[in-house]
Amino acid sequence: MENMYINKKSAQNDLQRFSWNAVSLRLAVLACLASANAIGHEGDDIDEVIVVARSEPLVGAAISASQGSVGFDDIRLPPLLRIGELVEAVPGMVATQHSGTGKANQYFLRGFNLDHGTDFSARVNGVPINLRTHGHGQGYLDLNFMIPELVERTSYQKGPYHPDSGDFSSAGSVSFDYVDALDTNMLKLGVGDFGHRRGLVAGTLNFDHDTLTAAVDVSSYNGPWDLEENGDYTKTYLSYATHLGQVNSTFSLSTYNAEWSSTDQIPMRLIESGTLSRLGFVDPDLGGNTDRYELRARFDFENAQVTTYATRYEFNLFSNFTYELDNPVDGDEFEQVDQRNRYGVFATGKLRAESNLPLTWGTEVRIDDIEEVGLFDTASRERLNTVRLDEVRQQSTSAWIESELRLGEKFRVSPGVRFDHMRWDVDALRTSNTGDGSDSLVSPTLNAAFQIADAVELYANWGMGFHTNDVRGAEISIDPRSGETVDPVDSFVRSRGAELGMRWERDEQFNITVTAFNLELDSELLFVGDAGTTEPVGSSTRRGVELNAFWQPMPEVVFNAGYSYTDAEFDEATGGGVEIPGAIAESASMGATWAFIENGFVSVRGRYLGDAPLIEDGSVKSGSSLLVNLAAGYRWEQVELRIEAFNLTDSTDNDIAYFFASRLGDEPADGVEDIHMHPLEPRALRASVTFNF
């Protein structure tokens, strides 16, 4: 019996599609404004030589082999299919997708399937992006609101050895900083396969001592799927940099509006039987929308920086992983909702005590005022039943300090400590799950660096970190779906890590880092298909090695490569020797950029992901994948042409895979256990032209 959902594609065709004419009108108006700023500068020549890379010396400055930074010239040339791939500036980091383009990516690092950000954190302009107690998943990390052309610098660090990182950063963290001023104003127009359209206008106005920078980014995408995404994305950014007395100050406003349809992972049995293509779908009603508005202010004092922010966030997502397993009549589709206001202040600085010991300090206060976080059973996006609906107020206060003690010219020791206190109040629809509470955690760190030669430094790192759990789980007593009694979870989940590393910087054109790490978590969060969410399971240990290399044999040519291997297992208390589903053992990347003429370039990137166990005994694997992307461009005085080719080899590997039970039509009532996969997007070409004013 054919599943009734499979042929309902027309249900999505009534959704409002992106209007390129409207976009063109908005861009034309903004282009006129940008042109006005160029009046009086018509005789100025824009003579820019392509810079293919910059290698920042870190021997004698870094406290670990697994930290670093990447400048704009290193990220603007490589191909970029998704905004979330900006995190791949972190060596060994991989961003994939199992759903629509508007949803947060799936992230992989150091043997973690990080889901949407549970143990990997990000900041943009100092503002934390991971969302606690989120409607879809704890630590939800959605970077789709970013405008890549504005990113000036990317800084990263791995492991729980850095007291400034805090929540969700046990595997690693990344920080993106936007430019205060653009070198030129720009109008960028892009087109590509599968309905890709993009328009960007960005520019800077300089006053006597002030700077105004603005950008509008509008795009659409249908994707290669049998069910069109009808993705519509609009972003704006406005910043004003000025001086308040002796304090450099920056005020910014950003907005993001997204709407999309989704083709989620689909069961292999339908592909193998010929019922679905690899690009097919089961439920045509999946997708979502996100709205994000942020006000931010940053104040740069002589020895300190303070960032304050206020964010409005709204999110709706429709999913269906098990199809007709739980509800054979209406299907298993569900809606997840999150609406919140978020406020915070983050301050960091440096001081030198009387003993001449340098100290770095930081403090942060964050409030998540969640008006509505809920889960609903739905059919064709119509609500049938409220599974859970809560109002949550969550507040955290953090403080950290780290010092650096030099024992001679070559040896540095950096002890640090972090304190976190969290309070919460959960008002649940089911009163038995209502409650409030608080908890605190102290996380010490200790790092050492020994420079054995001018170009070589050794590192030893140890630290404790954590991720928070959804505080609804800290107050739960009754499962809202089954009605059974359940135990609450801890609000903080402790991690412990250690690392040995080596950095060799022969010169500015060559460096290698090697690390060996061990990371322990008191609890994992794993994806559960029939619930469409994650649940905490037992403690785990990951041991691995990483190798990263950078080589610039001549000014116009750069190579970089990375390899990582991780052995990830649940601990003996959980069964011992049990593999962690989704934990990829091996990954590798390689890139090359060639500025073959003064203003032209070619950049190619390859990414390999090894297979991962999909169940605890390792008998079912995800399969490995290889992806190759390419970008090439040429810049004249005021015009730049760029062409990108994604999945150059047209690989049919999977982007991500899961193993769980689902049910279609007349299949057994308890479903069929199967691999459910989301493929790599087929080969696609994109072209863009940028006019610089």
Side-chain angles (χ1 to χ4, degrees), residues 22-36 187 201:
V23 174
S24 300
L25 177 60
R26 279 180 278 180
L27 292 174
V29 172
L30 288 164
C32 291
L33 294 175
S35 299
L187 168 63
V201 171

Side-chain angles (χ1 to χ4, degrees), residues 468-519:
T468 56
N469 271 328
D470 188 319
V471 294
R472 293 176 296 173
E475 297 301 325
I476 194 171
S477 60
I478 301 295
D479 186 300
R481 190 177 289 278
S482 68
E484 298 178 354
T485 301
V486 295
D487 296 326
V489 299
D490 294 331
S491 55
F492 287 106
V493 175
R494 168 67 78 191
S495 63
R496 302 168 185 84
E499 180 177 304
L500 295 175
M502 183 273 291
R503 186 187 307 273
W504 176 28
E505 293 176 347
R506 189 185 64 189
D507 49 37
E508 292 184 357
Q509 283 71 47
F510 180 83
N511 66 67
I512 289 177
T513 60
V514 181
T515 59
F517 64 88
N518 183 88
L519 183 60

Side-chain angles (χ1 to χ4, degrees), residues 634-653:
Y634 185 82
R635 180 165 184 163
W636 292 269
E637 287 186 352
Q638 291 183 308
V639 179
E640 180 177 313
L641 178 65
R642 179 183 176 96
I643 298 174
E644 295 174 299
F646 300 100
N647 193 0
L648 196 61
T649 64
D650 204 22
S651 168
T652 57
D653 294 336

Side-chain angles (χ1 to χ4, degrees), residues 88 90-96 107-114 158 517 543-548 561-567 582-590 606-612 622-627:
E88 294 185 358
V90 180
M93 186 73 179
V94 173
T96 67
Y107 305 103
F108 294 86
L109 180 68
R110 289 194 163 184
F112 279 89
N113 179 344
L114 296 159
K158 301 178 187 176
F517 64 88
R543 299 180 178 91
V545 294
E546 292 180 325
L547 172 65
N548 296 288
Y563 171 80
S564 67
Y565 173 81
T566 306
D567 177 32
I584 292 175
E586 287 186 287
S587 67
S589 63
M590 181 172 291
R607 184 202 79 193
Y608 168 79
L609 283 181
D611 59 13
S622 64
S624 61
S625 68
L626 178 64
L627 180 65

